[in-house]
Amino acid sequence: MTDQLNHLRQRFGQLLVLVFWCHVPLLGIVALLTGAMPVAGAMLIGAFMAAIYQVTWYRTGTAPMTRYVAAVLLIGQPSLLLLLLQGHMWQMDMHMYFFAMIALNIAWFDRTALVVAATVTALHHLVLLYFLPIAVFSSEGDLLRVALHAVIVLFQTVVLIWVSDKVVESFRRIERMGTRLVAQSETLKLRSHEAEQASRAKGMFLANMSHEIRTPINAIIGFCHLIQRTPLDARQRDQIGKISSAGTTLLRLVNDILDLSKGEAGHLTLEDEVFDPRAELSRQVQFLSEPLHRKNLDIKIDIDPRIPSLLSGDITRLNQVLTNLLGNAIKFTSEGTITIAARLVERKGDIAVIESSISDNGIGMTAEQLSRMFTPFMQADSSTTRRFGGTGLGLAICRQIVEQMGGWIRAESEPGRGSTFTVMTPLRIPEQQVLPDALPSEAIRRLHVLLVDDNPITCRIIQEIFLQWGMTIDIADGGSVALAMARRELQAGRRHDLVIMDWKMPGMDGLQTLHAMRAVMGTDFAPFVLMMTSYDIDEVRQDASGKGVDLFLAKPIDAASLLQALNQLSLMRADQPIRNAPAHGPGLSPALRGLRVLLVEDNEINREIAAQILSDAGLVVDCAADGSIACRMVDQAGGAYCAVLMDIQMPEMDGMAATRQIRKTWSSAQLPIIAMTAHAFAEERQGCLAAGMDDHLTKPVDPAHLIATLQRWLVLGRQAVPAMPSLPDDLPPFGIPAALARVNGNRDLLLRLILSFADSHARTCDDLSALLDGGRAEDAHRLAHTLRGVAASLELPLVAAAAGRLEQALSPGGQGDVAALLALLGPPLADAIAAAAQLRPAGPAAIPIRPASIQPAADPIMLAEALDTLRDQIRRRSLSARQGFGRLADLLRLDDAARQAHPLHMALQRLDYAAASALIEAEFAVPARGIAV
């Protein structure tokens, strides 16, 4: 039986104890009033019945015995009252008390107890009928009346048994349901635990896959960026551009999958930043202006003037939604107009509810297609012959973003009549409604501007920007029109102060138009020229080199970037024009160039790309392959690094552990650490910040974003390392002219070699003495041989001669006073080290480089093979040269410290193959080079 049923019986049994004892004074009062029995006798009988029940209750509890005893005693109570009321008018009413006592037994929820109570009642009536009729009936007993009472008792008992059985069955059913619920709850708890584990496993899988997929994508996009900055013919540039575009598309797909997964898991995080809604809308329209122009689509923009000038929200996510919806409209519309509208629905305090819509007159959708439009991986046309590509993720992600912002998105469409997507988003209204420096100066407002672009959308957006500034501009949709407008202005005695020119236009491109204007108008045509392009900015800069372009600006154009360019033009006007000064590009400000940064990256390809970008930006870059090496280099640098770019997932010691180790010595204010990793989840970003990092960059790293981030953090760093001085024409005891001839006149390379010589051989005399004192003549012979070769390559004849004599004396069968020869080596070597020290720039001290401990030499044959392999790898400028140096270091038995400090290793880490080639020929010389061995 159920616990609940037993609990009810327990409570009822306790209640009956009180009921029986309450009858004792009741019986005494009735006996006193009627005089039918002495009061004491009536109360004694009542107490006897109460005592019997109480003893039974305490001994057996709710057992059947207690129930049956209680049933009999409960019927005994009205029987005794019936006897005490003999001759009283209430005597017959006591029969009602029999029925109440029978009904009271239902609380035992035991049909047997009810039957016992009914049976005792019937027996009581029969006893009264045949043995004591005078106690009840005024004359002789009436059998019919007794029979009637028996029928009533029987009917009541049947009903009570039915009710009791139903209650018991209900309790049993509830018990079974409870058991099932408990089992299901345990199962649900187990499934929930499994689901949480699966979710965590899914999150880790996505994080790892993000890292693994982004790493090759980073290589594809990064190398495309580097290759595009080299001379290419038109076909090569087109192919590289297509590879870069495909890599970017793949990256966008990876981001979509991650966004969808984060949204489903509730981990999609939103930022909050102030933005100009009109400028952002213009930027996105301009971003997609090429496909709009290519399909000859018109676009109409209708923005409610009541919308505040500035709003606050996650503009990156809003742009993602807008770009997706606008891109779909362009994709599914072959001709006609696309309308973008935004209106203020209501304003609640500092919250503006904005409703935006994008309408097209494209192919439209059926009701069935609309019903699954926001389902992930579902498309309006999913057949194998579909005309339009895509993954079906865009709209699902848009819905997740908008709903997380507290808004909604819906679609309306009819086949053949186009579609309308409407988005409602609540956005915060910042208190300040004017951005600092958001308006041009009066000098810029007075400029007479000519805009030349064949794309009408770009022209309209830029014209709108100037109108917001209170400026009117002339617009030409091609080179020939611009040339005619310039002639008319000149004939009218006016001229344009600024020409904003698109680079690629049909007919005459931007540079051809500029050349034609200057050819026709001569020296009178001398405005500032701002060249716009949606192509790679470095390609444009290279093509326009020396052709009189003042600034370059990448599309899409917004008010902020245009104003920044105009302000730079204003400064140039004050200081006289400086032609071909780039306005944008991945370069640091001059004050920050020359700073030394540490790049920590285990992937060779990523390391090469990042090192090249950083070097091109004007930084001095050192590289480390894992966290433990990075910690050691930071300790050895003694404050020379102004920032650390740290990968997260690395062998030996990961980026998190390395950061925590570095933070024990260097605070964020002293040494900014920036995560540069393929991990893209917000949890990982928070983990990076919690470990002590200052910022987070997601791979593939955009060069401009990387440099902009460094620009922000390096301002907080120490002073830049002064630029390396040039190599003097005369530096005794070095023979500079002859040494230059050995390196094909490369002065920078020779300068690095001289400084490397000073780092490597500053303590060579001490090392030779230590080796000789330890009885390691063979190792001392090898060190003297190395010194002689390097000195000969750097045209240090005194050092080379002294080292040669010492080498000969240390060779097997050699003769000579080794100690005296070593003493003769010291002065010329010290002079050479002192001369090299004069070339070091002032500032943070260079990291001293010296072999840690010289081990016994390797097998000469294996060493020669390793050297040949390494020379070939360096000649081919192969990344495998680093492994080649590792094999060489193994043969030379260099420890970790000596490997990291070796000049050849450092040159290969910097990808300085020219220096590596000179170093390997200097330290491991061969007769073919004219260097003695």
Side-chain angles (χ1 to χ4, degrees):
M1 195 59 63
T2 65
D3 292 337
Q4 292 84 353
L5 199 57
N6 286 331
H7 178 68
L8 288 176
R9 288 171 173 170
Q10 184 76 20
R11 298 291 298 275
F12 178 63
Q14 294 172 347
L15 177 64
L16 285 183
V17 173
L18 178 63
V19 169
F20 280 114
W21 285 109
C22 286
H23 275 83
V24 173
L26 176 63
L27 292 171
I29 294 172
V30 174
L32 178 64
L33 294 176
T34 61
M37 182 184 294
V39 174
M43 294 182 67
L44 183 61
I45 295 173
F48 177 72
M49 289 190 292
I52 291 176
Y53 173 76
Q54 188 165 1
V55 170
T56 306
W57 168 251
Y58 284 144
R59 292 184 63 182
T60 62
T62 60
M65 176 60 70
T66 302
R67 304 174 208 163
Y68 305 153
V69 170
V72 173
L73 294 176
L74 284 173
I75 299 303
Q77 298 291 343
S79 299
L80 184 56
L81 286 171
L82 186 68
L83 183 62
L84 292 175
L85 291 171
Q86 181 180 2
H88 195 277
M89 61 179 181
W90 286 0
Q91 184 182 33
M92 295 306 296
D93 296 324
M94 280 298 102
H95 288 87
M96 302 300 297
Y97 203 36
F98 279 98
F99 299 138
M101 288 302 173
I102 294 174
L104 194 60
N105 281 281
I106 197 174
W108 288 118
F109 300 105
D110 183 352
R111 58 165 51 196
T112 304
L114 289 169
V115 171
V116 169
T119 302
V120 171
T121 302
L123 290 174
H124 169 266
H125 280 64
L126 288 174
V127 168
L128 291 179
L129 175 65
Y130 290 105
F131 296 102
L132 295 172
I134 193 65
V136 178
F137 305 104
S138 57
S139 59
E140 62 182 24
D142 188 342
L143 182 60
L144 290 178
R145 291 182 65 185
V146 172
L148 177 61
H149 288 178
V151 170
I152 295 173
V153 169
L154 177 63
F155 175 74
Q156 180 186 14
T157 303
V158 170
V159 172
L160 291 175
I161 290 174
W162 180 81
V163 172
S164 175
D165 288 348
K166 289 298 181 180
V167 172
V168 171
E169 178 60 28
S170 297
F171 274 105
R172 288 172 176 168
R173 186 167 59 252
I174 291 172
E175 182 181 31
R176 290 193 298 270
M177 291 174 60
T179 303
R180 286 197 298 269
L181 287 174
V182 170
Q184 291 174 354
S185 176
E186 292 297 325
T187 303
L188 181 60
K189 187 184 298 183
L190 178 61
R191 295 291 181 267
S192 298
H193 180 67
E194 292 174 350
E196 291 174 358
Q197 288 183 322
S199 178
R200 285 193 293 268
K202 176 183 176 182
M204 290 302 300
F205 172 77
L206 288 174
N208 291 331
M209 289 304 298
S210 169
H211 182 277
E212 296 302 323
I213 294 175
R214 285 170 179 270
T215 297
I217 295 177
N218 180 57
I220 294 170
I221 297 177
F223 275 123
C224 286
H225 172 78
L226 295 178
I227 293 173
Q228 285 174 331
R229 301 169 69 173
T230 63
L232 299 171
D233 59 34
R235 181 182 178 186
Q236 292 171 331
R237 189 168 297 280
D238 177 66
Q239 292 172 341
I240 293 297
K242 290 176 179 176
I243 294 174
S244 180
S245 176
T248 303
T249 301
L250 180 59
L251 176 62
R252 189 178 300 117
L253 175 60
V254 171
N255 289 337
D256 283 349
I257 295 174
L258 290 176
D259 281 345
L260 180 67
S261 301
K262 288 189 286 187
E264 291 177 345
H267 295 157
L268 192 66
T269 57
L270 299 177
E271 305 293 336
D272 187 20
E273 58 181 304
V274 177
F275 64 92
D276 182 346
R278 294 168 177 81
E280 292 298 333
L281 178 60
S282 298
R283 186 199 303 270
Q284 297 308 310
V285 171
Q286 197 173 174
F287 182 75
L288 295 171
S289 62
E290 289 300 324
L292 281 166
H293 185 50
R294 186 168 56 251
K295 298 184 73 172
N296 198 28
L297 297 175
D298 193 15
I299 189 163
K300 179 182 178 182
I301 301 176
D302 182 13
I303 301 180
D304 189 342
R306 297 177 300 159
I307 294 178
S309 301
L310 297 177
L311 295 171
S312 182
D314 194 331
I315 184 56
T316 301
R317 295 296 184 184
L318 287 172
N319 282 339
Q320 185 177 349
V321 173
L322 177 60
T323 301
N324 190 283
L325 297 180
L326 183 56
N328 284 344
I330 297 172
K331 181 194 299 186
F332 297 110
T333 304
S334 57
E335 61 180 0
T337 301
I338 295 175
T339 302
I340 303 176
R343 69 184 185 91
L344 179 65
V345 177
E346 62 177 326
R347 184 166 180 167
K348 302 176 181 178
D350 63 343
I351 299 297
V353 180
I354 308 296
E355 184 178 282
S356 307
S357 64
I358 297 180
S359 305
D360 63 68
N361 54 4
I363 60 175
M365 290 176 287
T366 64
E368 190 273 334
Q369 290 171 333
L370 275 176
S371 65
R372 52 189 172 90
M373 182 52 53
F374 296 101
T375 303
F377 304 105
M378 299 297 292
Q379 295 179 303
D381 181 9
S382 58
S383 65
T384 57
T385 58
R386 60 195 178 113
R387 294 166 51 196
F388 308 102
T391 61
L393 289 176
L395 289 176
I397 296 171
C398 288
R399 185 178 65 177
Q400 288 180 347
I401 293 172
V402 172
E403 289 180 351
Q404 186 161 343
M405 290 180 174
W408 49 258
I409 180 172
R410 66 187 180 206
E412 300 172 359
S413 184
E414 293 183 28
R417 302 190 64 177
S419 305
T420 297
F421 285 83
T422 306
V423 178
M424 188 280 291
T425 50
L427 298 170
R428 189 173 60 85
I429 305 172
E431 294 182 3
Q432 184 178 0
Q433 281 295 302
V434 179
L435 288 174
D437 303 324
L439 297 176
S441 64
E442 188 61 32
I444 293 177
R445 291 173 186 268
R446 291 195 297 266
L447 291 177
H448 188 194
V449 182
L450 172 62
L451 172 62
V452 187
D453 197 321
D454 65 302
N455 190 319
I457 298 172
T458 301
C459 291
R460 188 183 310 169
I461 290 173
I462 296 178
Q463 183 184 32
E464 184 67 27
I465 292 174
F466 277 104
L467 287 175
Q468 292 176 3
W469 292 342
M471 299 173 62
T472 57
I473 61 174
D474 296 333
I475 299 177
D477 61 2
S480 58
V481 176
L483 185 59
M485 292 180 68
R487 282 174 175 163
R488 286 199 300 269
E489 289 294 304
L490 185 62
Q491 292 171 357
R494 300 187 301 269
R495 69 172 190 172
H496 291 103
D497 303 303
L498 170 65
V499 176
I500 303 176
M501 185 91 66
D502 188 29
W503 181 46
K504 290 291 187 181
M505 295 184 294
M508 298 173 62
D509 65 23
L511 294 176
Q512 291 172 342
T513 301
L514 186 60
H515 178 73
M517 285 182 172
R518 289 195 173 117
V520 171
M521 307 180 71
T523 57
D524 289 334
F525 185 77
F528 288 106
V529 178
L530 194 158
M531 187 70 70
M532 303 183 299
T533 181
S534 56
Y535 296 86
D536 182 70
I537 198 74
D538 293 317
E539 179 184 356
V540 182
R541 189 180 296 118
Q542 183 178 355
D543 189 30
S545 177
K547 296 181 181 178
V549 179
D550 296 286
L551 291 173
F552 299 90
L553 197 57
K555 293 182 178 179
I557 308 297
D558 59 15
S561 61
L562 182 58
L563 181 58
Q564 183 180 357
L566 294 179
N567 286 334
Q568 187 167 348
L569 282 174
S570 179
L571 293 175
M572 290 168 57
R573 177 176 289 276
D575 299 331
Q576 299 301 317
I578 303 174
R579 295 295 176 180
N580 298 318
H584 295 278
L588 289 166
S589 60
L592 298 177
R593 294 173 188 169
L595 286 172
R596 185 180 296 275
V597 298
L598 176 61
L599 173 64
V600 189
E601 170 66 67
D602 66 308
N603 185 282
E604 291 188 1
I605 294 176
N606 291 343
R607 192 162 62 234
E608 181 176 355
I609 293 171
Q612 188 65 53
I613 293 173
L614 294 170
S615 297
D616 291 346
L619 294 171
V620 179
V621 185
D622 292 338
C623 299
D626 61 58
S628 59
I629 298 174
C631 292
R632 188 162 57 248
M633 294 179 69
V634 169
D635 290 339
Q636 293 175 349
Y641 295 123
C642 289
V644 177
L645 293 163
M646 183 79 72
D647 189 19
I648 299 300
Q649 188 172 320
M650 295 182 291
E652 300 297 332
M653 179 186 286
D654 62 33
M656 300 283 196
T659 299
R660 286 189 283 268
Q661 182 66 29
I662 293 172
R663 282 289 174 252
K664 293 179 181 179
T665 308
W666 302 94
S667 67
S668 294
Q670 295 172 313
L671 181 63
I673 300 178
I674 301 168
M676 194 167 68
T677 174
H679 292 283
F681 281 98
E683 293 86 347
E684 289 146 356
R685 175 185 175 90
Q686 293 302 320
C688 292
L689 299 179
M693 298 184 183
D694 301 287
D695 211 331
H696 181 278
L697 296 174
T698 302
K699 295 177 184 175
V701 176
D702 175 58
H705 189 199
L706 169 61
I707 300 305
T709 301
L710 284 171
Q711 179 82 32
R712 181 170 65 254
W713 286 106
L714 289 177
V715 171
L716 304 176
R718 290 166 295 283
Q719 294 299 316
V721 177
M724 187 71 70
S726 59
L727 181 70
D729 294 333
D730 186 35
L731 185 67
F734 292 93
I736 298 300
L740 279 172
R742 291 184 181 276
V743 294
N744 296 322
N746 191 330
R747 302 181 72 88
D748 290 338
L749 173 58
L750 180 57
L751 176 61
R752 290 196 295 270
L753 291 175
I754 291 174
L755 293 175
S756 177
F757 169 81
D759 291 334
S760 302
H761 295 286
R763 296 181 57 85
T764 295
C765 287
D766 294 338
D767 292 336
L768 286 168
S769 296
L771 292 172
L772 292 172
D773 292 341
R776 297 165 59 186
E778 183 180 353
D779 293 335
H781 175 270
R782 175 182 172 275
L783 182 55
H785 170 81
T786 299
L787 176 59
R788 178 180 65 83
V790 176
S793 299
L794 296 178
E795 294 299 322
L796 291 169
L798 296 180
V799 176
R805 288 192 293 270
L806 180 60
E807 177 190 3
Q808 185 176 6
L810 292 172
S811 61
Q815 297 179 355
D817 187 348
V818 174
L821 293 174
L822 183 58
L824 292 175
L825 174 62
L829 180 58
D831 292 342
I833 299 299
Q838 300 175 16
L839 300 179
R840 292 200 180 279
I847 303 172
I849 301 174
R850 56 171 300 212
S853 60
I854 303 172
Q855 303 295 332
D859 184 330
I861 296 177
M862 296 179 64
L863 184 60
E865 292 177 352
L867 283 170
D868 290 341
T869 300
L870 181 55
R871 284 191 181 96
D872 179 64
Q873 292 167 337
I874 292 174
R875 179 185 58 80
R876 291 186 288 107
R877 305 176 70 84
S878 171
L879 288 173
S880 61
R882 289 151 179 179
Q883 282 82 12
F885 173 79
R887 179 168 178 257
L888 178 64
D890 290 338
L891 292 172
L892 296 177
R893 302 177 189 176
L894 299 178
D895 58 26
D896 288 341
R899 291 172 189 241
Q900 295 300 320
H902 200 285
L904 185 55
H905 168 79
M906 297 176 68
L908 291 175
Q909 290 298 315
R910 296 193 306 267
L911 305 178
D912 192 345
Y913 293 105
S917 178
L919 284 167
I920 195 171
E921 298 304 335
E923 186 162 351
F924 305 99
V926 294
R929 297 281 181 176
I931 300 176
V933 297

